[in-house]
Amino acid sequence: MKSYVLIFIHVLIIGVILTSISVASEVDEYMVLDANVQQTENEVAFDKMMDVLTHQRCMNCHPNDNVPKQGEDRHPHYFDMARGKADKGFQATRCATCHQEENNDYSGAPGAPHWSLAPKSMGWQGLSRTEIARIVLDPETNGGKSNEELVKHMTEDELVLWAWEPGIGVDGNPRELPPVSEEEFKKAVEIWFENGAVIPSK
């Protein structure tokens, strides 16, 4: 009887040891995998920046045609508004006729300084994030801007920053904000450019 008890104890000890080894192995494997998938600082900054640039607050004025978009569903602008001269509409239908220097909460018309469409060469709709980034960085399409000028435009231009103060729509409800805060966006832009503005491969 005594020998059976000793055998049982030995089997129990071996089982505990094997279980410990198995758990340790799983933890090591998990930790290695986690390290492999961790994004670089550049990739995190790029994703945050693109979360904003591809949001309708930005995309509505970066159409790939001559028609500005509006609303959360990015529908074509009412009243047949179009790009017109210098991206600011036509003489009888200029953007500034309705879009003043600030939001008009009585009419629901959004407003910010120099309201206009982005240049046609900066049309982003339908493009991937990496394609948008290439257009942003290319002086041939971005209006000849250097990286320093791009950072200034994206972090200081009042029309860009309007995205975080979009006011209310004609239905009286607040317009949707970008998914990243203004502070986080500015920091992401600065980090991405400081790291060489490297476009992730995917």
Side-chain angles (χ1 to χ4, degrees):
M1 182 66 180
K2 187 175 180 180
S3 62
Y4 286 119
V5 172
L6 290 174
I7 291 172
F8 174 76
I9 292 173
H10 286 157
V11 170
L12 181 63
I13 292 172
I14 292 172
V16 170
I17 292 172
L18 290 176
T19 301
S20 300
I21 292 173
S22 175
V23 170
S25 176
E26 289 175 5
V27 170
D28 287 345
E29 289 175 4
Y30 173 79
M31 292 175 67
V32 171
L33 179 62
D34 185 53
N36 286 338
V37 301
Q38 188 175 18
Q39 285 185 303
T40 65
E41 183 182 47
N42 178 70
E43 290 171 337
V44 171
F46 179 83
D47 282 344
K48 283 187 179 181
M49 182 179 69
M50 282 301 162
D51 284 346
V52 174
L53 299 192
T54 55
H55 188 270
Q56 53 267 30
R57 291 287 79 80
C58 289
M59 197 64 84
N60 280 352
C61 288
H62 283 265
N64 55 9
D65 55 20
N66 292 322
V67 180
K69 305 302 184 291
Q70 61 181 164
E72 311 303 346
D73 60 353
R74 307 180 186 181
H75 61 264
H77 199 296
Y78 294 139
F79 316 120
D80 294 327
M81 294 297 293
R83 182 179 300 280
K85 187 177 181 180
D87 307 317
K88 296 181 179 178
F90 295 96
Q91 184 172 5
T93 54
R94 291 180 58 80
C95 300
T97 301
C98 293
H99 300 288
Q100 304 294 308
E101 297 271 311
E102 57 187 22
N103 295 324
N104 185 334
D105 289 342
Y106 294 102
S107 67
H114 66 89
W115 193 276
S116 62
L117 281 182
K120 193 170 184 178
S121 61
M122 291 292 282
W124 297 344
Q125 285 187 316
L127 301 183
S128 68
R129 293 182 170 212
T130 55
E131 290 172 330
I132 292 173
R134 292 191 188 98
I135 287 178
V136 168
L137 293 176
D138 187 349
E140 294 289 327
T141 52
N142 72 15
K145 287 185 174 61
S146 66
N147 284 2
E148 289 183 357
E149 290 170 326
L150 287 171
V151 172
K152 183 177 178 64
H153 170 68
M154 296 169 76
T155 61
E156 297 182 24
D157 191 306
E158 291 180 273
L159 183 53
V160 174
L161 301 184
W162 167 87
W164 287 275
E165 293 184 11
I168 61 175
V170 293
D171 58 1
N173 294 317
R175 290 186 177 86
E176 185 177 298
L177 295 173
V180 176
S181 73
E182 178 181 344
E183 182 180 349
E184 282 184 291
F185 172 73
K186 290 179 177 179
K187 187 176 181 181
V189 170
E190 291 168 352
I191 290 174
W192 188 61
F193 278 95
E194 285 172 1
N195 287 337
V198 177
I199 301 173
S201 59
K202 58 182 179 180

